[in-house]
Amino acid sequence: MPVLEIEAYRVGVSRRSTDDFKRFLFLEPDPAYRGPGDSGVRIFFEPGPTEIGRSAAGFLVVTLEQDYFSDMYHLLQTEKPVYFSWGFDEGGEKLAWCDLSTTEEPIGEGFTDMSDL
C-alpha cells in the first residue's frame, strides 16, 4: 500500500460546452517521495465513473464520484498532514481503491487545526 504525503494542492471547477461541470483536485507530493505518483495525483470528480484510476507517466489519475469532492476538499483545507494512499488491482495497472486521510489527531480540536500554532 503506497502512501504519499501531500505537500500542496490545487482545486478547480471547469465547464466546457461538451460536458458538465468538472471538479478537480491536483495533489502535489512531498518532494522527497519517490514511487508511483511521484509527479502528483490528479483527481477528477464526475457522475458515474467506470474505474477508480491508473498510473500514467509518473502521475496517478483518479476519477471519483462527484459526492466525494466536498469531503476530500474539506480534509485538504483543514488538516495537516494529509496522505493519499491506494492499492492496485491484481494486474497492477488500475487502482482497486484509494483514500485521503490524516495521521492520528488529538480529539476536540474543533474546526481550527491548532497543531501547527
Side-chain angles (χ1 to χ4, degrees), residues 23-27 41-45 62 64 72 84:
R23 294 167 179 83
F24 62 86
L25 294 171
F26 290 176
L27 311 178
V41 179
R42 304 300 186 241
I43 306 174
F44 299 93
F45 299 86
V62 179
L64 298 175
M72 292 181 120
F84 184 81

Side-chain angles (χ1 to χ4, degrees), residues 13 15 36-37 46 55 65 67-68 75 83 91 105 115:
V13 178
R15 172 75 162 94
E46 300 177 356
S55 181
E65 185 66 45
D67 295 345
Y68 288 88
L75 276 173
Y83 299 90
E105 293 276 336
S115 55

